[in-house]
Amino acid sequence: MAVNTGAIAVLIICFFVMIFLRFPIAYSVALSAILCLLYQGKDLSVVCQQMVKGISSFSLMAVPFFITMGVLMGSGGISEKLLNLADACVGWMTGGLAMVNIVASYFFGGISGSASADTASLGSLEIPMMVDRGYDVDFSTAVTISSSVEGMLVPPSHNMVIYATTAGGLSVGSLFLAGYLPGAVLAGSLMVGSYIISKKRNYPKGNPFSIRHFLKELSVSFWALAAILIVVVGVVAGLFTATESAAIAVIYSLLVSVYIYKGLDWKGVWKSLEDCIDTLSIVLILISTSNVFGYCLTTLHVPDLFASAIHGISENPIIIALLLNLILLILGCIMDMAPIILISTPILLPIATSIGLDPVQYGIIVILNCGIGLLTPPVGGVLFIGSAIAKRPMEKIVIATLPFYGMMLVALLLITFVPNISLFIPKLFGYVSTAPGVIGMLAGA
């Protein structure tokens, strides 16, 4: 295997230099790839070919539909209804509003699939509500931004579609099913942390649990939650492809938002569609330019070199799994989610499968790592949104979030080393995994 060290250096160094100079990520990816190709003396027509190839995928057509569905439902007046449902479920506990915040994010994640949308939509309601009830503003914000990460694990998530495509046509339905238990594990770990802090600070409980009140709120929220059933059940049962189910869910979301919840009028619908186009243009540019970057990585054999380097550090599957998580966490501090998935998956997925991680399980690990990255400076988009909503300095929010970082890392380790957290539900629906898991690989050795 011939190694062009100079071209690799040009590609990697130019990319990270532009990242630290705060170039837009799409420009960093594209320009570093172009400079690498120029260094090798290759025809730049490759750039156009690979960009078109990157977005010429039927499964990627689901991405704009899921984004549109999330924006319509998020703007359609469902946030308050999901908050009320969460309150009916867990508001009676110590630190009740913190628990409500976490559970509401689990529900809302199934609607929006976006941590940013969760924080912006629910946070504007939850943070003032918690402060009015005597909760510390920094704690309230920390709970809000931490729980928003659940939204990327609970399907439908357009990031899962991006990962499935990048991983070589992995089953989107299996990824959707795989997200429920990890999302619940993350929610449970955050609730434990919130309970301990609430107990120490004597935060109040809500109203006692009432099954009648719960059923009432469930009936109100049913129309919003049914959108998840359309997507997940439709895909898993084989009634629709992911793209078809997403398109149907967009029409359903439009009808629910305009005619049932009446949170949107037609003027608001057009404004929501403008927001969708803005988001989608960014996502598609990233996918197309990242495909050029990935082409350079592949032709330069960087995945093979990286795998050799990782295995050179240790052959122990546990150490390698921890290294993979560390790499993803570091990338999350300096890059946004989509580029991490697009760039790192071709490099790291073969290493992950070599130590017994199933591609579906690894996808959940990637998404959770990227979600944690959204809460970390200097590029934590969700951290910035939470700070802006609460009108608090970012460093204060980071300090308040430290216990929740710890709880999220506990959830990450459980998901990494207990495969059935991710794979139990997919296996129930016929997904066959031959991966032994990290611990299984170690035992086999």
Side-chain angles (χ1 to χ4, degrees):
M1 180 177 69
V3 178
N4 191 335
T5 308
I8 295 173
V10 169
L11 181 68
I12 303 299
I13 293 172
C14 289
F15 174 71
F16 280 107
V17 166
M18 283 185 269
I19 287 289
F20 284 110
L21 290 176
R22 299 299 181 92
F23 276 56
I25 187 70
Y27 293 167
S28 302
V29 170
L31 290 174
S32 57
I34 289 170
L35 291 171
C36 175
L37 292 169
L38 287 172
Y39 180 87
Q40 297 177 82
K42 290 191 175 182
D43 190 340
L44 290 185
S45 62
V46 172
V47 175
C48 298
Q49 293 167 0
Q50 292 300 319
M51 287 181 72
V52 172
K53 183 180 177 183
I55 56 176
S56 296
S57 168
F58 178 76
S59 58
L60 278 179
M61 289 176 64
V63 172
F65 289 122
F66 282 133
I67 290 174
T68 306
M69 169 192 163
V71 171
L72 288 173
M73 294 295 275
S75 305
I78 67 163
S79 302
E80 192 170 341
K81 295 172 179 61
L82 292 177
L83 268 177
N84 292 337
L85 176 61
D87 186 41
C89 291
V90 295
W92 54 270
M93 300 174 68
T94 298
L97 280 183
M99 306 303 177
V100 168
N101 198 328
I102 293 165
V103 173
S105 291
Y106 190 89
F107 292 151
F108 193 79
I111 305 298
S112 71
S114 166
S116 299
D118 183 298
T119 303
S121 180
L122 291 177
S124 58
L125 297 172
E126 291 166 334
I127 295 173
M129 186 189 303
M130 291 180 72
V131 173
D132 288 343
R133 301 277 184 91
Y135 292 78
D136 178 76
V137 63
D138 294 336
F139 170 78
S140 304
T141 309
V143 172
T144 301
I145 63 174
S146 301
S147 62
S148 71
V149 177
E150 298 163 29
M152 295 181 299
L153 293 172
V154 180
S157 165
H158 66 269
N159 289 302
M160 287 184 176
V161 178
I162 293 172
Y163 170 79
T165 306
T166 311
L170 200 61
S171 166
V172 175
S174 296
L175 274 169
F176 281 176
L177 291 172
Y180 282 111
L181 281 182
V185 167
L186 177 59
S189 66
L190 294 175
M191 290 176 76
V192 168
S194 296
Y195 178 83
I196 294 169
I197 295 171
S198 298
K199 200 76 174 173
K200 286 183 177 179
R201 299 183 184 178
N202 293 317
Y203 289 144
K205 297 181 181 180
N207 296 322
F209 179 78
S210 164
I211 187 66
R212 184 175 180 179
H213 179 56
F214 168 73
L215 291 175
K216 177 185 175 183
E217 295 299 339
L218 181 62
S219 66
V220 172
S221 303
F222 170 78
W223 295 105
L225 299 174
I228 309 167
L229 295 176
I230 290 173
V231 174
V232 178
V233 174
V235 172
V236 172
L239 301 175
F240 320 115
T241 65
T243 303
E244 292 164 348
S245 68
I248 292 169
V250 168
I251 297 171
Y252 175 84
S253 302
L254 181 63
L255 296 175
V256 168
S257 298
V258 174
Y259 294 111
I260 296 178
Y261 290 146
K262 299 181 180 178
L264 277 179
D265 56 18
W266 286 103
K267 184 178 179 181
V269 169
W270 288 114
K271 177 65 172 65
S272 297
L273 292 177
E274 287 177 16
D275 295 338
C276 293
I277 291 170
D278 290 342
T279 303
L280 181 60
S281 61
I282 295 169
V283 171
L284 290 180
I285 289 170
L286 279 171
I287 291 172
S288 59
T289 55
S290 295
N291 201 61
V292 186
F293 194 90
Y295 169 82
C296 292
L297 290 173
T298 303
T299 56
L300 292 170
H301 305 289
V302 172
D304 298 329
L305 294 171
F306 203 84
S308 300
I310 290 285
H311 285 291
I313 295 172
S314 175
E315 290 292 333
N316 187 311
I318 292 177
I319 300 298
I320 295 174
L322 292 173
L323 282 172
L324 292 176
N325 279 311
L326 180 61
I327 290 165
L328 290 167
L329 286 170
I330 292 171
L331 289 175
C333 293
I334 59 173
M335 293 171 62
D336 222 340
M337 187 168 186
I340 294 175
I341 295 172
L342 291 162
I343 293 170
S344 72
T345 299
I347 300 174
L348 300 182
L349 178 58
I351 301 171
T353 55
S354 75
I355 61 167
L357 291 172
D358 185 89
V360 169
Q361 180 194 1
Y362 178 70
I364 301 299
I365 292 170
V366 170
I367 288 171
L368 180 51
N369 272 295
C370 292
I372 296 172
L374 292 174
L375 312 182
T376 54
V379 190
V382 172
L383 179 62
F384 294 145
I385 294 171
S387 177
I389 291 172
K391 298 183 173 67
R392 294 288 292 168
M394 189 178 71
E395 57 270 20
K396 297 282 189 183
I397 306 301
V398 171
I399 292 170
T401 310
L402 289 176
F404 296 101
Y405 290 142
M407 301 311 295
M408 295 173 86
L409 290 175
V410 169
L412 176 61
L413 292 174
L414 286 172
I415 291 166
T416 301
F417 295 113
V418 184
N420 275 335
I421 293 176
S422 301
L423 300 179
F424 177 73
I425 296 179
K427 285 177 181 177
L428 284 180
F429 286 86
Y431 176 75
V432 179
S433 170
T434 57
V438 173
I439 303 299
M441 283 283 289
L442 196 63

